[in-house]
Amino acid sequence: MEELTEQKCVACRVGAPSVTAEEIKEFQPIVPEWQIVTEDNIPKLDRLFKFKSFVDAIAFTNAVGAAAEEEGHHTRGTTEWGKGAGTWCTHRIKNLHKNDFIMAAKTDAIYKKFA
């Protein structure tokens, strides 16, 4: 199977299938630091990242933003001194999609450059 970091997000429309329980079992070990949380009855992938400085945190945020824009799949992110957080979900289907796991893996790969 092709690595999640090598895959591209697909355009997602209302009614697109969410990930199955089996797919979650397959993808979750690839992005083990990401927690599935429920917010407003919508499952989301959520993770906190730690940095040595605000400069690193904001550079990471900008790099993730650029990757999100390139893939056409956008995150909710926050940046503070020494930390940042990211949340992936697919608003159009109000659920998790494979795109969310792809972007979580890509976010992890970006973070490795800063850790």
Side-chain angles (χ1 to χ4, degrees), residues 41-103:
N41 294 316
I42 300 171
K44 301 176 179 187
L45 290 173
D46 194 65
R47 181 170 176 194
L48 179 67
F49 300 89
K50 296 189 179 196
F51 300 93
K52 295 177 182 174
S53 69
F54 182 77
V55 171
D56 286 347
I58 199 71
F60 168 78
T61 299
N62 288 336
V64 172
E69 185 65 19
E70 184 177 316
E71 291 291 336
H73 190 62
H74 302 95
T75 185
R76 177 179 68 196
T78 58
T79 306
E80 300 178 48
W81 190 96
K83 63 183 172 181
T87 304
W88 292 103
C89 73
T90 301
H91 298 282
R92 288 189 176 164
I93 64 171
K94 295 182 169 73
N95 209 331
L96 290 172
H97 187 274
K98 185 176 181 182
N99 290 347
D100 301 308
F101 287 92
I102 290 170
M103 291 309 298

Side-chain angles (χ1 to χ4, degrees), residues 6-65:
E6 300 302 317
Q7 295 182 39
K8 295 287 186 187
C9 291
V10 296
C12 192
R13 298 182 184 355
V14 172
S18 58
V19 289
T20 64
E22 293 79 25
E23 288 172 318
I24 290 172
K25 286 181 187 176
E26 177 185 349
F27 300 145
Q28 190 77 51
I30 298 169
V31 291
E33 302 287 329
W34 292 82
Q35 303 298 313
I36 297 177
V37 298
T38 302
E39 185 179 288
D40 299 325
N41 294 316
I42 300 171
K44 301 176 179 187
L45 290 173
D46 194 65
R47 181 170 176 194
L48 179 67
F49 300 89
K50 296 189 179 196
F51 300 93
K52 295 177 182 174
S53 69
F54 182 77
V55 171
D56 286 347
I58 199 71
F60 168 78
T61 299
N62 288 336
V64 172

